[in-house]
Amino acid sequence: DPYIRSRHRARKRLVEALFQNRVLRQATAIHYTSDVEREISQPFDGGAPARIVPLGVDLSGFDSLPPAERFYQICPETRGRRVILFLSRLHFKKGLDLLIPAFARLAAEDPSLHLVIAGPDDGMLDQCKAWTRRDGVPDRVSFPGMLRGEDKLAAFAAASAFSLPSYSENFGIAVVEAMAAGLPVVISDQVNIWREVQAGGGALVVRCDEQKLTMALATVLRDSALAGDMARKARDTVQRLYRWDNVAVALEAMYEDVAAERSGVPAAAAA
């Protein structure tokens, strides 16, 4: 990804020279998880053939989410509020510098809104808290840390919408999980599965722009019919594209083809 590749370029150039370029040149194929990932990576991939198979998501538990009350025990300040959920590590690339001021704009007009930024700190927690103070919403943003298992599912149950406005995201498992939970999602066009989820109708996709993000979130939160339709389409998209039983079949076929190509024996003959 050019956005990430440009950071710490000297160190990465050394890694490329030592082994990475050689590995890429010698690869029988490169496995990408989305069309966008393939497109932005191809200038640097050494010319190896591309195979595209998405990541799979374990959907057990998503058909019957735990009660939102479980999450209210973790974040009691969210009880009775309409929650916008962010679920990812707190890192510079995740677009929290866009999400917090966008939320503050919406919160100024709607006292029922609350933002939950859930995930492990990767160097941005203090900065995020400073942004909430700057924008006048420190009491309307919660940082519960990393949520796992039933606690994570309960957060989805308590939320009205999900947002991940990343500057770079090779896939976005949390996006797919939010869609599986029946949430309308608002993401940036730097989340590499944006085309697939937008085509399915379960997501609004915006540029990495604070005003665009604010408008998209406002659209979802103010139009309950649209949000409900997006939620239904989000579930359908996940079932069609990201179920592990479907993805596993595609992965198995990919590895069979690549192994056969490497050995020079056609996959059909090898079978």
Side-chain angles (χ1 to χ4, degrees), residues 205-221:
V205 179
V206 297
R207 299 195 307 270
C208 288
D209 177 89
E210 179 189 324
Q211 184 175 3
K212 297 292 185 184
L213 178 61
T214 304
M215 293 172 59
L217 286 169
T219 297
V220 169
L221 292 167

Side-chain angles (χ1 to χ4, degrees), residues 220-266:
V220 169
L221 292 167
R222 293 170 184 171
D223 190 336
S224 59
L226 172 66
D229 184 58
M230 287 178 63
R232 177 183 59 79
K233 291 177 177 177
R235 285 179 178 271
D236 291 345
T237 298
V238 172
Q239 291 289 333
R240 179 168 48 87
L241 297 180
Y242 304 118
R243 289 182 60 91
W244 256 124
D245 47 0
N246 296 332
V247 172
V249 172
L251 278 173
E252 186 176 20
M254 178 185 72
Y255 280 109
E256 286 177 347
D257 289 346
V258 170
E261 183 177 340
R262 193 72 170 182
S263 66
V265 178

Side-chain angles (χ1 to χ4, degrees), residues 21 78 172 204 235 242:
N21 288 339
T78 64
L204 295 184
R235 285 179 178 271
Y242 304 118

Side-chain angles (χ1 to χ4, degrees), residues 9-205:
R9 191 71 203 105
R11 279 186 274 171
K12 291 177 180 176
R13 188 175 289 112
L14 176 62
V15 171
E16 290 163 1
L18 287 174
F19 71 91
Q20 185 167 287
N21 288 339
R22 182 179 73 255
V23 169
L24 290 171
R25 286 193 303 269
Q26 295 175 353
T28 304
I30 297 179
H31 173 198
Y32 298 103
T33 58
S34 70
D35 285 328
V36 173
E37 185 179 43
R38 172 183 56 83
E39 290 171 8
I40 64 178
S41 302
Q42 276 193 313
F44 318 106
D45 68 7
R51 305 294 180 96
I52 302 173
V53 178
L55 298 180
V57 176
D58 180 4
L59 297 180
S60 60
F62 283 91
D63 289 335
S64 180
L65 295 174
E69 179 63 30
R70 182 183 180 112
F71 182 71
Y72 299 148
Q73 297 296 320
I74 299 171
C75 291
E77 65 275 15
T78 64
R79 189 187 302 275
R81 300 297 182 94
R82 300 174 68 205
V83 170
I84 301 172
L85 178 64
F86 168 96
L87 184 67
S88 190
R89 61 194 172 104
L90 278 59
H91 187 269
F92 76 94
K93 76 170 189 172
K94 299 295 183 174
L96 290 163
D97 60 323
L98 304 175
L99 181 57
I100 290 172
F103 168 77
R105 288 188 182 192
L106 296 171
E109 300 179 5
D110 188 343
S112 72
L113 295 181
H114 197 94
L115 176 62
V116 172
I117 298 177
D121 182 19
D122 199 356
M124 290 294 293
L125 178 58
D126 289 342
Q127 179 62 72
C128 287
K129 289 182 176 180
W131 286 331
T132 68
R133 293 191 295 270
R134 177 200 65 191
D135 295 336
V137 289
D139 297 330
R140 298 179 65 180
V141 182
S142 299
F143 298 90
M146 187 169 183
L147 300 175
R148 294 184 172 91
E150 292 289 298
D151 290 342
K152 179 172 68 172
L153 294 175
F156 287 134
S160 297
F162 177 90
S163 186
L164 185 66
S166 292
Y167 292 104
S168 169
E169 198 76 39
N170 74 297
F171 188 79
I173 287 289
V175 175
V176 177
E177 290 181 333
M179 293 171 65
L183 290 178
V185 303
V186 178
I187 61 174
S188 75
D189 61 2
Q190 301 305 304
V191 178
N192 285 348
I193 59 171
W194 72 265
R195 288 181 188 164
E196 292 87 344
V197 298
Q198 184 183 58
L204 295 184
V205 179

